[in-house]
Amino acid sequence: MAKFLSQAQEEHIVEAIQQAEEATSGEIRVHIEKKCKAESPIERAQQMFSELKMHETELRNGVIVYVAWKDHKVAIWGDKGIHEKVGQSFWEEEVDLLISFFKKEEYETGLSEVILQIGQKLKENFPYQSDDVNELSNTISYNKEQDDA
């Protein structure tokens, strides 16, 4: 069965999420599946955002990076709090960056770079507070029906 990321690559991406979240109250998740189960990748990113309860963060500053690797589709969805601060063009630039790495089959690097850049924007707009708690898991989520993703 094909596999998108190795165990080591997954661990590096989780480390990037942890690093990106160190200086912010924002939350970042990565969701990977083989095929996009919606009309568009942004629609699927929104669905997964909701399923993962990312809209429940206190400051509405969660961000999901969505990848449907067999379909070659990616999307990034930021909740209301962060979207109002960075605007649509930021997400589009990050998607373009991700695609540029993916075209070179540099999946781990692309995801890590985008995660760290999103983390920087979260840090600028939602700096870490001493009472911050990690509201969401840092692990990569997968579509359960596609275990070999």
Side-chain angles (χ1 to χ4, degrees):
M1 287 290 184
K3 190 161 168 61
F4 180 63
L5 297 171
S6 70
Q7 184 68 37
Q9 288 173 317
E10 283 186 19
E11 289 169 8
H12 290 140
I13 291 165
V14 170
E15 287 169 15
I17 294 169
Q18 291 166 338
Q19 184 180 342
E21 290 183 356
E22 274 177 7
T24 179
S25 63
E27 297 285 341
I28 301 169
R29 296 286 314 259
V30 173
H31 181 78
I32 297 172
E33 57 190 18
K34 269 189 185 177
K35 297 196 173 280
C36 183
K37 295 182 172 290
E39 195 77 17
S40 71
I42 196 70
E43 185 182 320
R44 184 63 175 152
Q46 290 171 306
Q47 289 171 355
M48 292 314 306
F49 190 93
S50 178
E51 277 185 38
L52 294 169
K53 301 191 182 323
M54 294 185 68
H55 58 285
E56 294 180 4
T57 60
E58 186 179 351
L59 298 174
R60 303 292 302 263
N61 57 1
V63 178
I64 190 165
V65 178
Y66 170 79
V67 177
W69 60 279
K70 279 277 193 195
D71 287 342
H72 303 281
K73 293 183 179 179
V74 297
I76 300 173
W77 179 258
D79 204 349
K80 184 180 181 192
I82 184 63
H83 182 73
E84 288 175 349
K85 305 273 189 191
V86 301
Q88 186 60 32
S89 62
F90 174 72
W91 306 122
E92 291 168 5
E93 289 167 16
E94 295 306 302
V95 165
D96 289 346
L97 179 64
L98 193 58
I99 290 169
S100 72
F101 278 104
F102 279 23
K103 282 181 177 174
K104 298 182 278 188
E105 298 185 5
E106 295 175 4
Y107 308 114
E108 173 194 346
T109 304
L111 284 165
S112 296
E113 278 298 311
V114 165
I115 288 164
L116 293 173
Q117 288 190 21
I118 292 169
Q120 185 59 41
K121 287 293 183 188
L122 286 167
K123 176 183 169 187
E124 290 168 17
N125 293 288
F126 299 96
Y128 178 82
Q129 306 294 318
S130 60
D131 61 346
D132 276 342
V133 291
N134 190 10
E135 297 178 82
L136 300 169
S137 170
N138 293 336
T139 59
I140 297 170
S141 62
Y142 289 96
N143 186 314
K144 289 174 180 48
E145 295 157 23
Q146 301 173 350
D147 287 335
D148 59 322

